[in-house]
Amino acid sequence: RDNYPVQSEKIGELLVKLTRMEKVEPKTKLAEKYDRLDLVDPADKEDTRAKEVVLKNSAGDDIARLMVGKRKFTLGTSEGGTYVLMADDPQAWLVTGELNPGARPRDWLVREISNIKDDDIRRISVVHPDGETLAVNKSTSEQPNYTVEAIPAGMVLKRDSIADDMGRVLSNLLHDDVKKADDFAFPSDTTIKATF
């Protein structure tokens, strides 16, 4: 993901589980049965649940490559197991340890964008593509609710706290994925701009 930081504890956890992994029982060698164990290569099937895990050294050479499939939650011990396929070996194995490498960028990336509480935000302005603007403010941090600016004549708020959710947007704000800004353009006709 363009060298965006990942959660180092997730990497550490996966590496520890991989090093402790031991073969328990051979399963199928037949490719047509891999689907039952969620071991069909993503290159061969679009909706597979298999996850390919590749470890490389600093030179970019593969140290390990395996396909991680379905988990088996009981092995007669407190620790469960996982079905795996090693690279260049058609034999599927049940191994010790519950490997869960995740399937989405959000499972790996450092996700926090901001964590600013609404008490620290004095004013918010939201501008729609057509120029329509909504602005709210608090004159002091002790003010319980945001005041909506420029309410049209004859209109009233349904409740005093109706704008407060706007102030919570930056509190525990997380992303699901990332891309370099140079490779992404926000379309002017659909982009809403907010200033806090």
Side-chain angles (χ1 to χ4, degrees):
R1 286 299 197 239
D2 292 326
N3 291 318
Y4 193 87
V6 296
Q7 300 174 52
S8 57
E9 63 275 10
K10 289 253 181 143
I11 300 288
E13 179 185 339
L14 181 62
L15 290 174
V16 167
K17 287 183 176 183
L18 286 170
T19 59
R20 292 182 178 169
M21 185 177 72
E22 293 182 13
K23 292 176 180 175
V24 175
E25 183 182 358
K27 297 315 239 184
T28 186
K29 285 185 176 181
L30 303 173
E32 60 268 23
K33 293 189 177 181
Y34 289 164
D35 202 23
R36 295 181 191 174
L37 304 176
D38 289 341
L39 287 173
V40 177
D41 190 323
D44 299 331
K45 184 181 178 192
E46 190 174 310
D47 62 344
T48 184
R49 291 177 156 185
K51 293 136 186 130
E52 185 179 33
V53 175
V54 181
L55 304 181
K56 296 179 178 286
N57 62 19
S58 58
D61 302 320
D62 287 2
I63 297 171
R65 181 181 291 266
L66 69 154
M67 201 66 63
V68 177
K70 191 180 287 186
R71 287 183 280 170
K72 182 174 175 125
F73 293 98
T74 56
L75 282 179
T77 65
S78 60
E79 184 179 32
T82 307
Y83 296 103
V84 300
L85 267 175
M86 306 299 182
D88 304 320
D89 183 358
Q91 178 67 64
W93 287 90
L94 173 61
V95 299
T96 57
E98 294 181 19
L99 300 175
N100 185 15
R104 303 162 298 181
R106 65 180 287 172
D107 296 331
W108 289 94
L109 300 173
V110 174
R111 296 186 62 210
E112 184 177 277
I113 297 172
S114 67
N115 195 9
I116 302 171
K117 303 298 180 201
D118 58 331
D119 289 344
D120 295 327
I121 299 173
R122 183 63 55 90
R123 186 173 190 272
I124 305 162
S125 173
V126 178
V127 181
H128 290 259
D130 62 2
E132 183 182 358
T133 301
L134 171 64
V136 301
N137 71 72
K138 285 186 178 183
S139 55
T140 69
S141 58
E142 289 76 30
Q143 183 177 325
N145 304 114
Y146 282 95
T147 300
V148 178
E149 298 177 7
I151 297 176
M155 304 287 283
V156 294
L157 300 178
K158 286 187 176 181
R159 61 183 191 282
D160 291 340
S161 62
I162 199 161
D164 291 354
D165 282 345
M166 292 175 67
R168 297 185 191 106
V169 168
L170 298 183
S171 175
N172 198 30
L173 182 63
L174 307 174
H175 67 73
D176 286 337
D177 203 349
V178 293
K179 190 173 188 178
K180 276 192 176 179
D182 296 345
D183 300 331
F184 188 84
F186 289 95
S188 59
D189 60 336
T190 57
T191 299
I192 297 170
K193 297 178 182 178
T195 304
F196 295 81

